Amino acid sequence: MQVIWENVRQSINRFKTNREPKQPLSSNWKWAAIIMIIPSLILFIIQSIYFFGDRGIYEFTVATLLFILFISLISGLLTVLLFAFKKLPNLYLWLFFSSCFMLFICFMGPLEVSTLFIFVFILSLTLWGALIYRLKEKGGIRNKLLFALLTIWIGLFSYWIINDGQPSPRGVTLKELKKANHYDSSAIQNPNQNGLYKVQSITYGSKNSYRKEFNRKNSLLTKPIDASPFLEKWSTLRTKTFGFGPKELPLNGTVWYPKGEGPFPLVIAVHGNHLMTDYSDPGYKYLGQLLASRGYIFVSIDENFLNVSPFNDMFIFHALEKENPARAILLLEHLKTWKNWNKEEKNPFFEKVDMDNIALIGHSRGGEAISIAAAFNQLSNSPDNAKIKFNYGFHIRSLISISGTDGYYSPSGKPVPLQNINYLALHGSHDMDVNSFSGYSQFNRIHFNSDQDFMKASVYIYGANHGQFNQTWGKRDGVGLGNQLFNLKQLMPIEDQERVAKVFISSFLDATIKNKKEYKLIFKDIGYAQKWLPNTMYISDYGDSKTSILTSFDEDIDVLSTSVMGGRIQGKHLMEWKEERMKLKYGESLNSVVRLGWNLRKLRKAASYTVFLPGKGLNLTENSSISFSMADSTKRKNPSYRKDLIDLTITLVDDEGNRASLPLSHVSKLIPMIEGKLLKWPFTELSPTKEPIFQHFNFQLKDFKRMNPAFNPQTLNQISFEFNRTEKGTVLVNDIGIR
């Protein structure tokens, strides 16, 4: 420590006693600094409008100036510390660091991309400023040529910044993958079509709410709740902005409801993290109007006061932490309010709410909050503090996660467990906020009792992003100028993404809340919904309580064992065969799958993977089916979504040795890993672009019997995956079962 301090002291003395002439910047350095700092300041002020523009001119000006002052101080400190090693003038170095900090805040993205972008930006402006001086002082053909070339480069670079990117290659569409003549959806009514009910709307809120729309003349009144045990680092600035603290969080909501006697199922939707004062809850109006017309009471609740605020969080130095449990508690307290209203004779919702059929919809962090709420709903005490009592016990039947997060909250250090609840996860391949399909992790953690009737489903949508599921958020998933690093042109139109949400959410609620079984077909096989959906790529997975899982690969480390006693596994001629946790764009899933690879050209023998069934306990009939989930994990440099679809053979064998086979393409070929190239060229490959997404397959045993009448489905003995229809590839397989 003494040596380090002595070096610092000597550097400071050199700074004080430097014998170099104390002259101002030379003109060329001055121009370089001016041309560098002015655009940086302009861009930073534009970014400040995104951060602070809703605060009023006084607070906007103060916050922006304080931010610039802070950056200047940090940059000045870096300049002093680097003085002993520098070759550049002090003032230029100071402005250089200031520009870097401002631009980094403007263009926040993947670290390596932001760093490279800022380096090119600063270098270009520095050279341009120096050339302006040289051209002014000396002229010359070479200087003019260099200046012209650099000006063209800066023009192209500026165009790159403001341009929305390049369109994506067209993939295999739903109608190409699922031929329409194979599906008879005449028994299913269009889930995107408005229903028969006239839609009405009303708001409710705590007295003197910070938003006047919740305190209108006809608004219903609610009481605030104390959520302080579930929050950390609520700032005094946040209290000053809202007029309340964590002990008095309001219960605010906008309701769309059908005009009629009822009772109607209750659906509560909650947004996720966004700029606190760019209110997110109005963004689900399109869902509220549709679902209310179809006989649901739909509520979009306000939790904006739990969201990020650069002003109230002092940028990042006093940010709210670990708030997802509070989001969940607020959901449950809203339900408690609705339960009381349903019993109050003078309330407009008296006996109009079906409290036995409740669904929760969550977007982004809200997608995780609904799972936490469902878990808390079944507990009598908080898992993090047993002194806190819970008394909820609502009949929450269904959860719908839209681009949901996972893992922001781990009760008692464990992933959130759920059992016997319907679950749907929607996610876009071009999500620029929640990059990995995090909602699928919760999908895998949901388990059912066989004597119940529950389902779970996931849908991965090509061209969908994070924000277009919310009309307030739109196509830009970040805040401000950082969006310009992303390839926005490849996104589907917002009206198409809303239609995707309406079709799947309406179908799922009708299937699980109103018990309209025909809508389950859409999730077992997405081809049944193709005439209502935008014609893009979709990968969907499915599971239900009627499926007996033969092997899920989570039971042990023995690659030959199954999840049921008496079963076993055999593999032949495989290039790869191992059980592993699935690798995501970032991190890995918590559940295990089996990886299978083959290469016909190398081995000249067809590889196979066979599950031998136990002799008893499956109760098979001709109406039974085999089901499994499969994901393409083949590494391809330039995938062609139409040419690279994997096909293989599914072969069943009964106790007598009778064989019956069908190609995988009897249901569907396997879609390659969808590439979501989020960043513009040339940064495209600097962040992960794809991850395996599981596709559900369901083969009816009677279809195999048609292929071989001698085959007896009731004595099914073997299920074999034979890799003989595609030359080489790698797949992941999960949840092989009997339905």
Side-chain angles (χ1 to χ4, degrees), residues 159-325:
Y159 174 77
W160 183 92
I161 293 174
I162 63 175
N163 184 263
D164 278 350
Q166 310 82 34
S168 297
R170 181 178 174 272
V172 58
T173 64
L174 182 59
K175 289 182 179 177
E176 291 172 331
L177 191 67
K178 308 276 190 178
K179 301 301 181 182
N181 57 9
H182 184 72
Y183 298 94
D184 179 13
S185 57
S186 58
I188 309 174
Q189 293 183 347
N190 182 357
N192 185 38
Q193 187 175 4
N194 285 335
L196 301 177
Y197 291 96
K198 181 180 178 181
V199 177
Q200 298 176 298
S201 184
I202 194 172
T203 62
Y204 63 84
S206 299
K207 191 175 182 180
N208 300 320
S209 173
Y210 72 108
R211 291 170 60 188
K212 61 182 181 181
E213 54 262 48
F214 299 123
N215 287 150
R216 294 178 181 143
K217 187 176 181 180
N218 66 336
S219 294
L220 302 176
L221 186 64
T222 59
K223 295 180 180 180
I225 66 138
D226 180 3
S228 57
F230 306 97
L231 286 169
E232 292 185 16
K233 297 183 71 173
W234 179 286
S235 69
T236 54
L237 274 175
R238 197 175 281 263
T239 299
K240 183 178 178 181
T241 295
F242 292 121
F244 58 80
K247 293 187 177 182
E248 296 178 312
L249 297 188
L251 298 179
N252 300 333
T254 303
V255 188
W256 290 270
Y257 63 100
K259 184 178 181 180
E261 292 300 318
F264 302 107
L266 178 62
V267 180
I268 294 186
V270 59
H271 57 80
N273 198 26
H274 188 66
L275 278 179
M276 186 177 73
T277 44
D278 184 20
Y279 303 128
S280 301
D281 53 290
Y284 307 108
K285 181 179 179 180
Y286 73 102
L287 285 175
Q289 291 178 328
L290 172 69
L291 294 175
S293 76
R294 295 175 67 88
Y296 296 91
I297 296 174
F298 181 93
V299 190
S300 180
I301 67 172
D302 164 36
E303 293 189 358
N304 292 279
F305 42 82
L306 296 178
N307 283 355
V308 66
S309 169
F311 185 90
N312 293 279
D313 297 337
M314 292 179 281
F315 189 55
I316 58 173
F317 298 104
H318 209 296
L320 199 62
E321 291 181 355
K322 300 180 180 179
E323 88 296 343
N324 255 18

Side-chain angles (χ1 to χ4, degrees), residues 557-571:
I557 61 172
D558 184 357
V559 295
L560 301 181
S561 69
T562 62
S563 301
V564 292
M565 292 293 293
R568 61 187 177 89
I569 291 171
Q570 181 183 79

Side-chain angles (χ1 to χ4, degrees), residues 91-224:
L91 182 57
Y92 175 83
L93 200 59
W94 187 10
L95 296 179
F96 169 82
F97 286 126
S98 296
S99 295
C100 286
F101 279 116
M102 286 188 282
L103 290 172
F104 186 79
I105 291 166
C106 290
F107 296 96
M108 285 186 287
L111 182 60
E112 63 274 22
V113 175
S114 294
T115 303
L116 182 57
F117 171 83
I118 291 167
F119 173 77
V120 173
F121 191 99
I122 293 286
L123 180 62
S124 300
L125 293 179
T126 295
L127 293 175
W128 200 45
L131 275 171
I132 288 175
Y133 165 75
R134 292 188 65 180
L135 194 61
K136 178 183 174 184
E137 293 295 314
K138 299 180 181 180
I141 297 296
R142 188 176 69 173
N143 288 338
K144 289 180 180 179
L145 180 60
L146 288 173
F147 178 77
L149 291 173
L150 194 55
T151 301
I152 292 171
W153 160 251
I154 289 175
L156 292 172
F157 191 69
S158 301
Y159 174 77
W160 183 92
I161 293 174
I162 63 175
N163 184 263
D164 278 350
Q166 310 82 34
S168 297
R170 181 178 174 272
V172 58
T173 64
L174 182 59
K175 289 182 179 177
E176 291 172 331
L177 191 67
K178 308 276 190 178
K179 301 301 181 182
N181 57 9
H182 184 72
Y183 298 94
D184 179 13
S185 57
S186 58
I188 309 174
Q189 293 183 347
N190 182 357
N192 185 38
Q193 187 175 4
N194 285 335
L196 301 177
Y197 291 96
K198 181 180 178 181
V199 177
Q200 298 176 298
S201 184
I202 194 172
T203 62
Y204 63 84
S206 299
K207 191 175 182 180
N208 300 320
S209 173
Y210 72 108
R211 291 170 60 188
K212 61 182 181 181
E213 54 262 48
F214 299 123
N215 287 150
R216 294 178 181 143
K217 187 176 181 180
N218 66 336
S219 294
L220 302 176
L221 186 64
T222 59
K223 295 180 180 180

